[in-house]
């Protein structure tokens, strides 16, 4: 059976890591994925004059599953993040980022890290409601609704239950934003009542950050708002050795878009040295989402084998391999 999936290579290192991901996934699935290539971001703007062409949105809606490279958001001049636009347009309300230590990686400071960040993906300060009140003063509105808060918290609890995890942390800043953060926490309290078997802690966001820096095993599944979730994801990536290793998914009721946590890495783009593992592990999540567990296991096994051997690693992991070389090693491991 063939599986159609939208592929957005993206900007910067996106095309390089996407090509690597496609090679590895094709190997693991015997070529059963039919890649529906689409444009978004700066590359789309150059070719079509639009940052998010309608064809791209229609392809994702049609296929219900997409995987994308990072997209460049031009700095300043009122541009909005195209990543945020995709999540809002398709109502991909749950951002799921499992952060796990990989074997043999000597650059990470901790071993056996196994955390999951569940981030609300559609509201908060990232709702993008900004305007200039008077010249020199800009106001940004933070949107928090009970509906979206309960939805993300329920997603996190169901995920934790399905994955056999026992502990949930709801991170918040109620002390400084009692109404908006208070609504989020109150929504979480209501949903927690439906899961009496789960341990739930309500912890200040800043304390969660410090806890994790001291001891990454101090939390398990962490549910939090959009901005805080974005920040915490990068911290968690640092705990396991960097952005080149951490996958992610944006999940809605009917549609899911998979992507690594990292951005376009303009400092190394075009040099053929980017680490493709984060996007390849995002593809592992995608394969599980579409029920291809055998192929997902093969992808995971190949990543663990190459990391354990430690002879073909990219520069961010302390090695000297190119993207093409690590891709060949991963495909050979499959
Ligand atoms: P970044 O993640 O692109 O880079 C941060 C650092 O990590 C750089 O030193 C980079 O070389 C390194 N790095 C990232 N991914 C790597 C990989 N796969 N292999 C080796 N090294 C890697 O973050 P930055 O610089 O803040 O953002 C650059 C651009 O990316 C911006 O335009 C931003 O808007 C965009 N961005 C897009 C995202 C997405 O599409 N989901 C997410 C984050 C940023």
């Amino acid at each position: 059976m063939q599986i159609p999936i939208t592929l957005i290579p993206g900007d910067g290192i996106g095309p390089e890591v996407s090509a690597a991901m496609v090679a590895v996934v094709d190997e693991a699935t015997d070529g059963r994925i039919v890649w529906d290539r689409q444009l978004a971001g700066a590359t789309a703007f150059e070719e079509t004059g639009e940052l998010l062409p309608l064809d791209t949105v229609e392809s994702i809606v049609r296929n219900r599953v997409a995987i994308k490279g990072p997209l460049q958001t031009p700095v300043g001049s009122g541009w909005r993040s195209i990543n945020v636009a995709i999540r809002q347009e398709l109502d991909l309300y749950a951002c799921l980022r499992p952060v796990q230590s990989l074997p043999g990686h000597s650059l990470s400071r901790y071993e056996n890290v196994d955390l999951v960040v569940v981030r609300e993906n559609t509201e908060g300060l990232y709702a993008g409601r900004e305007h200039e009140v008077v010249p020199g003063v800009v106001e940004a509105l933070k949107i928090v609704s009970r509906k979206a808060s309960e939805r993300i918290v329920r997603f996190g609890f169901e995920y934790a239950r399905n994955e056999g995890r026992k502990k949930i942390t709801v991170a918040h800043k109620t002390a400084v934003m009692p109404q908006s953060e208070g609504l989020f926490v109150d929504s979480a309290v209501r949903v927690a009542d439906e899961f009496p078997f789960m341990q739930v802690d309500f912890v200040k966001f800043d304390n969660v950050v410090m806890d994790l820096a001291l001891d990454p095993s101090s939390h398990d599944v962490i549910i939090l708002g959009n901005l805080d979730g974005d920040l915490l994801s990068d911290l968690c990536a640092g705990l396991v050795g960097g952005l080149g290793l951490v996958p992610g998914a944006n999940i809605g009721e009917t549609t899911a878009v998979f992507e690594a946590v990292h951005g376009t890495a303009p400092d190394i783009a075009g040099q053929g040295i980017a680490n493709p593992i984060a996007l390849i592990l995002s593809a592992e999540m995608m394969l599980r989402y579409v029920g291809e567990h055998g192929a997902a296991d093969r992808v995971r096994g190949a990543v663990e084998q190459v990391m354990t051997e430690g002879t073909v690693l990219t520069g961010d992991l302390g090695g000297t391999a190119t993207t093409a070389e690590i891709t060949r090693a991963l495909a050979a491991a499959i």
Side-chain angles (χ1 to χ4, degrees), residues 218-281:
S218 52
H219 298 278
D220 182 359
V221 175
I222 305 164
I223 304 175
L224 71 183
N226 206 340
L227 170 63
D228 295 350
D230 195 10
L231 304 179
L232 198 74
S233 299
D234 276 36
L235 173 95
C236 290
L239 300 177
V240 295
L243 286 165
L245 297 175
V246 180
N250 303 290
I251 299 175
E253 299 293 350
T254 59
T255 309
V257 176
F258 296 81
E259 64 177 336
V261 173
H262 66 70
T264 58
D267 51 338
I268 58 166
Q271 298 176 31
I273 57 169
N275 185 354
I277 287 180
L279 190 63
I280 289 169
L281 292 177

Side-chain angles (χ1 to χ4, degrees), residues 8-213:
I8 302 169
D11 304 320
I13 60 169
E16 300 162 54
V17 293
S18 295
M21 181 278 297
V22 166
V24 171
V25 170
D26 282 351
E27 192 70 35
T29 58
D30 293 325
R32 284 184 301 112
I33 305 291
V34 181
W35 301 105
D36 180 1
R37 285 171 196 273
Q38 299 291 336
L39 297 170
T43 317
F45 193 74
E46 278 161 27
E47 288 195 27
T48 69
E50 290 177 75
L51 284 164
L52 183 57
L54 187 58
D55 283 354
T56 302
V57 177
E58 285 179 350
S59 164
I60 302 173
V61 170
R62 188 171 59 243
N63 294 324
R64 295 187 168 198
V65 183
I67 186 160
K68 61 176 277 293
L71 304 177
Q72 182 196 329
T73 302
V75 178
S77 328
W79 292 96
R80 285 208 53 216
S81 163
I82 280 302
N83 296 302
V84 174
I86 290 174
R87 292 165 195 161
Q88 288 178 347
E89 180 86 20
L90 298 164
D91 200 20
L92 305 174
Y93 66 90
C95 181
L96 183 62
R97 291 172 165 177
V99 184
Q100 291 173 320
S101 300
L102 286 165
H105 178 40
S106 59
L107 289 189
S108 57
R109 290 170 202 276
Y110 303 96
E111 288 175 2
N112 305 320
V113 177
D114 185 11
L115 288 162
V116 182
V117 177
V118 178
R119 160 187 168 193
E120 204 291 319
N121 226 4
T122 59
E123 313 189 319
L125 271 172
Y126 284 13
R129 308 284 163 85
E130 292 188 318
H131 63 272
E132 192 170 50
V133 184
V134 292
V137 181
V138 170
E139 184 175 58
L141 296 179
K142 176 179 175 185
I143 312 290
V144 177
S145 70
R146 183 173 293 287
K147 182 177 167 221
S149 301
E150 287 195 4
R151 186 166 71 158
I152 188 63
V153 174
R154 189 168 285 109
F155 177 95
F157 272 78
E158 286 174 353
Y159 175 86
R161 181 190 60 199
N162 295 343
E163 296 292 316
R165 289 175 177 269
K166 298 280 180 288
K167 194 170 110 170
I168 288 189
T169 302
V170 176
H172 62 85
K173 290 288 292 179
T174 49
V176 282
M177 290 169 280
Q179 291 216 25
S180 57
E181 295 285 306
L183 179 56
F184 188 75
V185 166
D186 187 59
S187 304
V189 170
R190 290 188 188 197
V191 173
D193 282 348
E194 300 166 22
F195 298 81
F197 47 86
M198 197 71 76
Q199 180 188 331
V200 192
D201 297 319
F202 294 85
V203 186
K204 272 171 61 190
F205 174 68
D206 15 5
N207 290 356
V208 173
V209 175
M210 189 191 65
D211 291 346
L212 291 176

